[in-house]
Amino acid sequence: MSAAATNPAGAGGAARGWETVVGLEVHVQLLTRTKMFCACSTAFGDPPNTNVCPVCLGLPGALPVPNERAVRLAARAAYGLGLAVHPRSIFARKNYFYPDLPKGYQISQHTEPLSTGGRLEIATPDRGNVTIGITRIHVEEDAAKSFHDRVPGMTAVDFNRSGVPLIEIVGEPDLRSPAEARAYLTALKQVLLYLEVSDCSMEEGSLRVDANVSVRPAGSAELRTRCEIKNLNSFANVERALGFERDRQIAEYQRGGTIEQRTMTFDAAKGEVRPVRSKEESHDYRYFPEPDLPPLVLEAAWLAEVRASLPELPAAKRERFQATYELSSNDAGVVTATAAIAAAFESFVTLSGASGGKEAWNWFANDLLSLSADGETIPLPLERAAEAVKLVKAGKIARQALRPLLARMVEAPSADAAALAQGLGFIQVSDTGEIDGWVREVIGAHPGEVTRCRRGEAKLFGFLVGQVMKRSKGRADPKLVNAALQAGLKAGG
Ligand code: ZN
Ligand code: MN
């Protein structure tokens, strides 16, 4: 069942006249080997409750020690997204009671976070390129993980995740549709992957999204009561859930009702959003500065070093690729999808000896990358792919034979490219005697077309070339066929 089918309002009916306002909070697990405040491993998938110690179990008297690498990755993410990283920030206790929180509080940051004031430009379906504000990025620790389906009638808790380092990326309510929310998440994930601060795996819980949504009459600037949706396990489901919740709120207002601030959960199987509890206000958490940790002080030289180590990010790379290789913005987007693909493309341009960026792009994206099982992993060492390209450039195989040859090379990684091409019958016939023979046959078989061609009907020359190629089963070198046919027509005329 599609979202549109169950949500007629979303298809433009009742939604017309209303504007959707979305702000996202994204929790991202940092790529560290150890936890935020202790030396326990962060490895995913270890047996439950094996990576634990007094600190991450919240035992009395255990003291937290911040993980420098986590702070470095957090600062890197902040710089990459254009935030100001503050030389001094404060850890705070966020107090609440839940079985996955053994201390009764989470160490987070509140009034003085690590970084504030960033932005991310995204391409939207309806509004072109739009800059989405990023309010803040702060550092915090993860809670443990509850399992409600492992032990009948009971909840099981795995503390391996307790204390794992996270950043929370708080976005401004600048998104105007469920599709924009998805575009933002896609762009954000790409930047975080380029920065190598997280593996951003939603399946493993290293990227989690909470979505705040409200609606208002179109043209109004007010911010109405919002609801927060949790339990969103894919970007597609973020988009779906926001569509359901937007339609629910519009319908409620149209009935003359009001929206109550709530936390909702999304049931992807049933395709519905339902309330789980009334939404907490920040004062419910009784934040106060963490007494076990001093302020987080970052020296100017350290911050400058983190900043200087940033890689070229997707937007800059796309622009450079457009300028350097003369690619369209779409084509540049394809070969900068990941930093690894972009690096492979740049090597390939050199190795292939392509005469221009567009030619290299065609070979790389259409012929090589299209053979990748996941669309990301280059299926063949670039040096080997370049061998096949050189056969095209030398006129030994037809341009159209490149992709099937590369496919064969993926299956036979150590075989010689020319030998494989020979075996597949791709090596072009450049024996002029053989080609002359086909030309004579074609001239004999199509007297009418030959006469008209000799009288100047130029388009028939193409027809006759096609006939010769057909007789050669596509293996004749088209340049030689042209020459031989011209000679043959002249000789008989
Ligand atoms: Zn621990
Ligand atoms: Mn948080």
Side-chain angles (χ1 to χ4, degrees), residues 236-436:
N237 276 340
V238 171
E239 186 176 1
R240 278 180 76 206
L242 283 169
F244 288 120
E245 177 57 14
R246 167 199 61 194
D247 294 345
R248 184 190 72 86
Q249 292 185 18
I250 292 170
E252 194 59 46
Y253 284 129
Q254 286 177 331
R255 254 197 301 278
T258 53
I259 297 297
E260 206 188 316
Q261 183 164 332
R262 281 180 178 285
T263 298
M264 323 282 286
T265 187
F266 178 57
D267 185 329
K270 288 191 183 151
E272 66 177 27
V273 175
R274 52 172 187 270
V276 281
R277 56 174 189 260
S278 66
K279 167 82 177 130
E280 307 80 359
E281 297 282 353
S282 121
H283 61 247
D284 293 328
Y285 289 117
R286 298 288 190 270
Y287 280 100
F288 63 85
E290 167 59 64
D292 289 340
L293 288 167
L296 178 63
V297 175
L298 305 173
E299 283 170 17
W302 186 91
L303 286 171
E305 185 235 308
V306 171
R307 183 167 217 164
S309 73
L310 291 192
E312 183 180 40
L313 292 172
K317 208 182 274 289
R318 277 194 303 272
E319 255 175 53
R320 181 168 67 78
F321 275 32
Q322 283 184 64
T324 309
Y325 303 115
E326 294 174 344
L327 301 181
S328 71
S329 108
N330 223 26
D331 292 352
V334 170
V335 288
T336 57
T338 70
I341 291 176
F345 176 71
E346 298 215 87
S347 311
F348 183 77
V349 171
T350 317
L351 287 169
S352 68
S355 60
K358 186 64 193 179
E359 185 178 54
W361 188 92
N362 276 319
W363 291 335
F364 184 83
N366 289 335
D367 298 294
L368 183 59
L369 199 55
S370 66
L371 294 171
S372 165
D374 58 4
E376 283 185 21
T377 315
I378 309 297
L380 195 65
L382 294 171
E383 292 77 10
R384 307 251 24 235
E387 285 172 33
V389 165
K390 280 178 187 143
L391 293 176
V392 175
K393 285 188 70 78
K396 295 225 166 78
I397 65 170
R399 171 70 188 81
Q400 300 89 300
L402 178 58
R403 189 170 165 191
L405 175 58
L406 289 169
R408 186 75 190 89
M409 291 172 77
V410 172
E411 292 162 5
S414 54
D416 176 65
L420 286 174
Q422 183 77 57
L424 289 163
F426 288 162
I427 296 292
Q428 296 193 129
V429 174
S430 43
D431 173 342
T432 49
E434 207 170 344
I435 291 173
D436 285 341

Side-chain angles (χ1 to χ4, degrees), residues 35 38-40 51-57:
K35 293 186 180 181
C38 62
C40 291
N51 297 323
V52 292
C53 76
V55 173
C56 54
L57 286 173

